[in-house]
Amino acid sequence: MSDRIKEKLSILADAAKYDVSCSSSGSNRKNKDKGLGNASNGICHAYTEDGRCVSLLKILLTNFCIYDCAYCVSRKSNDVKRAAFTVQEVVDLTINFYRRNYIEGLFLSSGIFTNPDYTMERLVQVAKKLRLEHNFNGYIHLKTIPGASEELMKEAGKWADRLSINVEMPTEKSLALLAPDKKREDMIKPMLYLKQEILANKEEKKIFKKTPSFAPAGQSTQMVIGATPETDLEILYMANGFYKTMNMRRVYYSGYVPISNDNRLPAIGTPVPMIRENRLYQADWLMRFYGFKVNEIVDKENPLLDIDIDPKLGWALRNMNLFPMDINTIDYQLLMRVPGIGIQSANKITAARKFSRITWEHLKKIGISINRAKYFIHTDSEFEKKDLQPLQIKQIILQEGNSKYKPNFSPQLKMF
Amino acid sequence: MNIVIYDGSFEGLMTAIFEIYEYKIAQPNIVNSNKETGSLFGNVHEVQTNKEKTARVFKKLKDKLTPNAFSNLYKTFLSEIKDIENILYRYIAYILSSKVSVENDYSNADVLELQQITKKVHREKHRMEAFVRFQLTQDQLYFCIIQPDFNVLPLISKHFKNRYADQRWLIYDSSRKYGLYYDLETVEEVSMNFENDVNNKAELKSICDEKEELYQKLWCIYFGSINIAARKNMKLHIQHMPKRYWRYLTEKNNVN
């Protein structure tokens, strides 16, 4: 018995690991009637050797699947071991992991067996059982199965903190190529439905405080990048659209890990596009927290993000006419845009300059990255870097900096 | 230099600060009586911890500080880092000397340093909320041993009480020899000397619930299975989970 559950867990965790979402924040579920757990800010309880955070028990209910999506390890035609948990097994694992403080909650997804509704119904059962039978108030993220009925989605939102439907591919064309069984429309329609339900629930809660929550941590989505030829421009415009029109909490970018010999896809052994993925997340952060518009990050002339420098530095170098700026007077919104200054440093600088003139010494202590910022700001002392061209600045920063990706920048192939 | 000795408690420090003003002690150097060794040069003033004096310092500070900055005083004190008493004293002296609110004056060295210590203590608090790994005993107590860099037990109490309201638990700090025990009603500080080696498997097995070993094993399987080998990045792994914590983490030392 215990050997079987060990095997199932290893198969169904392994199959779930390409779903990158691990967030467990954004909900505000309190511990009710002295039950088990709560969900608020999200805690990363462990980190795997690939450096990714482990916050949730992230598993598939089953990796049996009727679909044959080329990029997916659980595709019908793939020769892998198959397994399926019972509803009770998932509930027991969640509760016992949670009580030991291993996890913040459950992220349950599934291969599609029989049909979408049948699958979705099982996912909902797990969440319902956790909430009602175990008074479990920890975090629950359910994957919404494309094609599942609206009644089931509504039921799911009643018990889950977050729901997500993966858009899978950045464009419809790529989806048609790699996942012929799936239609973009089957993903967009439920997203719109969830958006409306979430908004309606928020309105209702304003009037009746006791209204039960509907997916209080909102919805998110994910797309695979690097499996198909889309540019960063296409990817970021798509993400921007999701943030603007779908009220998505997060868009995740999953660098394609080659798992198949299918000739529609990069061959096994092709490196995972990790730098590109990192640059996309940086761009995503600029849109969500730094007030950047998507067209300031990528445009028709620059459809690809620079691999060797981050997108904020890239933007600054393209806009040298704005710099240098006076650190003692620069507007907060622009201060955040200075390379080498993050949100926290920007907050400290604006607080500190109410008391005294800011000097380089202050900036050093506050902890900004002087090596970057010095080309873009000046203090009361003279600004000395005025004659440098953007390309020269880039070269100096690259030479001084010790990027973890440096070995990858060299265009020459290492033979040994 | 005038030496001011206090008993190592937060109230003791507040009394010391009160008396520095009361007796107009110039250039004070505050030292913890539990830590200081060797001879002390200069005049020595010994402080008896006093509730009333503490309360008066608190009252004055509450007028001058936002609730957040006020609670940071205690948080930074728990860092137990060298000279924290004197940094706190200088900070408080600066706050009291100014007519306007200066708690965000990061151009002042002490204000900035306290902010940075607050951040470190907060990070350690957060780590303990993450890295506690409960083990279930036969009498259904969830227990865990930790060894945090700072004295953060007082700061994590509320989190565990709110979250694990329906199970008895004990979190023990083996460096500072005390723990928190929750009995389904309240959390209490308990002092004890827990000599047992946390990693003595045979001994643990004798006190643990029959299912405990299975769930530890399942957790380790899970931890191994969700790793993507093609993305291996040990530097990042260790940055997030520094090695000094590994001996208390089930998934990092249950390798077999």
Side-chain angles (χ1 to χ4, degrees):
Chain A
M1 166 64 198
S2 80
D3 281 343
R4 182 66 192 131
I5 193 91
K6 284 175 192 168
E7 192 190 8
K8 280 189 191 180
L9 180 61
S10 91
I11 293 170
L12 294 169
D14 186 88
K17 72 187 174 190
Y18 301 100
D19 221 307
V20 290
S21 169
C22 77
S23 163
S24 55
S25 57
S27 192
N28 191 18
R29 199 175 286 276
K30 300 263 185 306
N31 187 312
K32 205 175 62 196
D33 305 327
K34 262 200 164 184
L36 174 62
N38 52 15
S40 56
N41 289 326
I43 296 172
C44 300
H45 287 272
Y47 291 83
T48 42
E49 289 190 352
D50 53 25
R52 298 190 308 159
C53 133
V54 183
S55 175
L56 301 168
L57 170 61
K58 190 194 297 182
I59 47 176
L60 299 189
L61 188 60
T62 176
N63 63 340
F64 286 103
C65 194
I66 55 174
Y67 290 158
D68 204 38
C69 310
Y71 52 82
C72 179
V73 74
S74 301
R75 65 189 177 279
K76 184 173 61 179
S77 62
N78 200 20
D79 182 22
V80 289
K81 268 196 178 173
R82 305 280 167 172
F85 279 126
T86 64
V87 168
Q88 191 60 44
E89 281 168 343
V90 176
V91 168
D92 287 343
L93 272 175
T94 308
I95 294 290
N96 278 288
F97 278 13
Y98 195 88
R99 287 196 181 282
R100 285 167 177 77
N101 203 45
Y102 297 162
I103 52 168
E104 291 291 289
L106 173 69
F107 177 3
L108 188 61
S109 178
S110 184
I112 297 159
F113 50 102
T114 315
N115 61 54
D117 270 353
Y118 188 85
T119 310
M120 192 69 210
E121 212 182 308
R122 297 289 169 302
L123 300 187
V124 172
Q125 267 181 29
V126 170
K128 187 174 175 182
K129 212 168 172 148
L130 281 167
R131 296 281 188 236
L132 295 185
E133 287 177 27
H134 295 266
N135 194 5
F136 175 74
N137 306 290
Y139 192 89
I140 301 178
H141 178 164
L142 291 185
K143 189 46 68 67
T144 309
I145 305 298
S149 71
E150 290 189 352
E151 290 74 52
L152 278 168
M153 275 193 281
K154 187 148 196 177
E155 178 85 359
K158 232 162 106 181
W159 314 115
D161 294 283
R162 170 167 290 181
L163 298 171
S164 66
I165 301 146
N166 284 355
V167 64
E168 312 286 12
M169 289 292 145
T171 56
E172 214 162 343
K173 203 173 125 203
S174 296
L175 189 72
L177 175 73
L178 298 177
D181 307 320
K182 287 185 182 167
K183 285 195 214 83
R184 162 103 358 152
E185 191 195 296
D186 293 340
M187 300 157 185
I188 301 298
K189 232 177 85 187
M191 279 179 193
L192 279 169
Y193 173 77
L194 289 178
K195 175 198 162 187
Q196 282 155 8
E197 287 294 314
I198 291 166
L199 285 177
N201 180 254
K202 267 196 193 137
E203 286 306 310
E204 205 175 329
K205 280 195 100 132
K206 277 184 201 157
I207 305 163
F208 306 105
K209 268 203 161 164
K210 293 223 162 127
T211 308
S213 292
F214 183 90
Q219 61 171 330
S220 63
T221 192
Q222 159 172 320
M223 55 183 125
V224 176
I225 56 139
T228 45
E230 283 83 11
T231 61
D232 296 328
L233 178 84
E234 287 171 280
I235 292 168
L236 288 171
Y237 269 75
M238 162 124 222
N240 184 57
F242 280 138
Y243 287 129
K244 294 270 145 67
T245 59
M246 297 284 188
N247 293 44
M248 285 281 166
R249 288 294 186 83
R250 284 294 299 274
V251 174
Y252 291 93
Y253 312 91
S254 171
Y256 178 68
V257 181
I259 39 112
S260 161
N261 285 317
D262 192 316
N263 60 15
R264 288 171 290 176
L265 285 164
I268 288 183
T270 310
V272 182
M274 283 162 70
I275 311 173
R276 186 178 179 204
E277 184 190 284
N278 182 230
R279 297 286 180 238
L280 284 167
Y281 278 113
Q282 287 174 325
D284 188 272
W285 248 251
L286 292 182
M287 294 195 291
R288 290 190 299 135
F289 302 118
Y290 287 79
F292 277 82
K293 293 207 181 72
V294 63
N295 60 10
E296 294 179 292
I297 304 168
V298 277
D299 55 34
K300 283 220 170 90
E301 280 75 51
N302 308 283
L304 298 176
L305 295 169
D306 247 325
I307 287 293
D308 50 3
I309 56 169
D310 65 84
K312 193 163 124 181
L313 179 58
W315 171 82
L317 292 175
R318 287 196 301 275
N319 292 277
M320 284 307 282
N321 56 316
L322 296 171
F323 301 106
M325 288 192 269
D326 183 347
I327 194 72
N328 280 297
T329 56
I330 173 175
D331 175 73
Y332 175 71
Q333 289 300 326
L334 276 170
L335 186 57
M336 283 198 301
R337 292 183 167 223
V338 176
I341 298 180
I343 291 176
Q344 292 194 6
S345 300
N347 287 337
K348 269 188 216 151
I349 291 165
T350 34
R353 67 189 183 186
K354 288 182 193 143
F355 301 95
S356 49
R357 303 289 294 176
I358 301 293
T359 64
W360 288 107
E361 203 49 42
H362 289 139
L363 292 174
K364 212 176 281 173
K365 275 200 183 147
I366 283 173
I368 75 161
S369 166
I370 303 273
N371 280 345
R372 282 167 178 248
K374 68 183 173 190
Y375 304 100
F376 306 97
I377 49 172
H378 65 84
T379 62
D380 291 340
S381 57
E382 197 63 24
F383 175 70
E384 289 162 19
K385 315 287 178 193
K386 52 192 154 195
D387 294 330
L388 292 172
Q389 292 301 308
L391 208 61
Q392 289 172 296
I393 297 174
K394 179 173 164 179
Q395 288 310 326
I396 300 171
I397 289 177
L398 281 176
Q399 274 158 22
E400 284 174 349
N402 216 346
S403 167
K404 56 184 179 277
Y405 296 130
K406 215 172 194 173
N408 302 305
F409 296 157
S410 159
Q412 283 174 335
L413 281 175
K414 282 206 191 76
M415 299 307 285
F416 302 101
Chain B
M1 188 71 88
N2 292 299
I3 312 284
V4 179
I5 299 184
Y6 80 110
D7 63 1
S9 70
F10 189 56
E11 290 72 19
L13 177 61
M14 292 300 124
T15 311
I17 289 170
F18 186 90
E19 292 188 358
I20 288 168
Y21 281 89
E22 186 180 16
Y23 298 110
K24 300 197 168 60
I25 300 171
Q27 287 184 300
N29 177 23
I30 310 173
V31 296
N32 179 339
S33 64
N34 303 316
K35 278 189 186 160
E36 198 54 40
T37 51
S39 63
L40 298 166
F41 294 101
N43 296 324
V44 175
H45 173 91
E46 266 197 59
V47 175
Q48 297 296 322
T49 299
N50 178 307
K51 274 193 177 158
E52 200 186 316
K53 289 177 180 176
T54 301
R56 284 178 61 185
V57 177
F58 280 171
K59 186 171 178 296
K60 188 84 189 166
L61 287 171
K62 276 184 179 159
D63 286 345
K64 287 275 195 175
L65 294 170
T66 59
N68 198 22
F70 179 77
S71 73
N72 286 345
L73 297 172
Y74 180 53
K75 275 190 198 167
T76 47
F77 176 76
L78 292 175
S79 72
E80 300 172 338
I81 63 169
K82 199 169 161 285
D83 218 31
I84 183 66
E85 298 86 355
N86 290 300
I87 301 169
L88 276 168
Y89 164 67
R90 287 197 303 270
Y91 172 83
I92 288 172
Y94 181 51
I95 297 291
L96 297 183
S97 72
S98 170
K99 286 207 172 72
V100 295
S101 165
V102 286
E103 65 181 56
N104 290 327
D105 179 8
Y106 299 114
S107 63
N108 176 289
D110 294 313
V111 176
L112 183 62
E113 186 165 9
L114 269 201
Q115 193 276 338
Q116 284 160 348
I117 297 169
T118 305
K119 206 167 142 189
K120 283 188 201 160
V121 173
H122 193 264
R123 186 191 302 144
E124 191 66 5
K125 164 192 181 278
H126 191 78
R127 272 193 185 131
M128 289 307 118
E129 288 170 358
F131 292 165
V132 157
R133 298 285 181 265
F134 284 124
Q135 307 192 37
L136 180 60
T137 66
Q138 282 159 8
D139 53 359
Q140 303 303 296
L141 171 74
Y142 287 85
F143 82 96
C144 167
I145 298 172
I146 58 173
Q147 220 168 14
D149 291 349
F150 309 127
N151 182 19
V152 294
L153 277 188
L155 304 177
I156 63 176
S157 172
K158 199 175 143 204
H159 168 80
F160 283 97
K161 182 174 186 259
N162 288 342
R163 175 161 289 195
Y164 299 108
D166 71 341
Q167 67 190 45
R168 286 166 55 237
W169 51 260
L170 169 72
I171 303 171
Y172 181 73
D173 180 340
S174 67
S175 313
R176 294 168 188 83
K177 306 279 179 219
Y178 81 106
L180 298 174
Y181 170 62
Y182 172 70
D183 64 359
L184 299 178
E185 292 299 329
T186 51
V187 180
E188 271 171 42
E189 268 188 25
V190 287
S191 312
M192 54 176 146
N193 223 334
F194 218 61
E195 293 294 347
N196 297 0
D197 181 2
V198 274
N199 292 324
N200 182 340
K201 293 230 169 72
E203 195 167 351
L204 272 178
K205 213 173 163 180
S206 72
I207 60 162
C208 277
D209 180 84
E210 54 173 3
K211 285 275 181 68
E212 181 56 32
E213 204 186 345
L214 171 66
Y215 281 108
Q216 287 188 24
K217 189 75 206 158
L218 287 168
W219 172 239
C220 292
I221 289 171
Y222 176 67
F223 183 73
S225 301
I226 45 163
N227 179 47
I228 299 180
R231 301 181 59 122
K232 187 163 177 166
N233 187 346
M234 284 308 273
K235 201 180 148 201
L236 190 57
H237 171 62
I238 289 166
Q239 183 188 321
H240 286 308
M241 290 174 88
K243 283 188 176 167
R244 63 181 181 281
Y245 301 103
W246 286 13
R247 66 185 292 243
Y248 296 103
L249 292 170
T250 313
E251 64 276 18
K252 292 306 291 183
N253 71 73
N254 205 314
V255 190
N256 43 29

